[in-house]
Amino acid sequence: MTREFLADDEKPLIWVGSSRKDLMAFPEEARTHLGAALGTAQFGGKHPDAKPWKGEGPGVMEVVEDHRGDTYRAVYTVRFAEAVYVLHAFQKKSKSGIKTPKADQDLIASRLKDAERIHRERFGGRNG
């Protein structure tokens, strides 16, 4: 889902899979923080809390918000000049270490492929 009208130089935010629904289920404070980071990406910037996501190569970013002892994450890609794709929004539930569960890693990889396909269909294959 994207807004009908965008500001000058604002890229559309394209939600892949259930990422929008998942992010909207987060507590308001987490949504606000993660939404600010996504908004910064839409204008070509990098939020101070955004960092490269390890495992999918350049242009895939992660932002993390800790809220009341829980950790919320949004993973998105800025690989394409025309749009920002939100790949996954999830609450990290693992209590051991900082490693992201394999199921979430696999979902991000799959949704990145979906984003590439969506991008080809929507923008004719242009990228970066």
Side-chain angles (χ1 to χ4, degrees):
M1 170 185 279
T2 60
R3 289 195 324 271
E4 187 174 346
F5 300 101
L6 299 173
D8 291 342
D9 298 327
E10 181 183 9
K11 298 176 186 182
L13 195 61
I14 300 173
W15 303 88
V16 182
S18 63
S19 59
R20 183 177 191 278
K21 180 182 86 126
D22 297 337
L23 187 127
M24 295 307 292
F26 293 173
E28 182 178 355
E29 294 86 352
R31 283 195 320 264
T32 299
H33 184 80
L34 298 173
L38 294 171
T40 299
Q42 285 183 269
F43 285 97
K46 180 183 169 289
H47 190 275
D49 293 337
K51 62 183 181 180
W53 171 260
K54 294 183 172 123
E56 294 303 324
V60 179
M61 307 296 291
E62 170 187 39
V63 64
V64 178
E65 170 66 3
D66 291 322
H67 176 70
R68 296 186 179 174
D70 292 319
T71 301
Y72 299 90
R73 298 173 182 235
V75 178
Y76 60 97
T77 185
V78 294
R79 284 187 181 170
F80 308 103
E82 297 83 8
V84 175
Y85 293 83
V86 183
L87 305 175
H88 191 26
F90 61 105
Q91 179 181 357
K92 186 174 177 295
K93 297 185 180 181
S94 172
K95 300 298 182 193
S96 58
I98 61 171
K99 187 170 174 75
T100 301
K102 180 150 176 38
D104 289 307
Q105 294 177 28
D106 291 346
L107 184 59
I108 290 164
S110 174
R111 287 188 178 170
L112 180 58
K113 290 177 184 166
D114 290 343
E116 291 166 349
R117 177 188 48 77
I118 292 165
H119 191 79
R120 278 193 309 275
E121 292 169 359
R122 186 169 183 169
F123 296 102
R126 298 185 311 247
N127 69 19

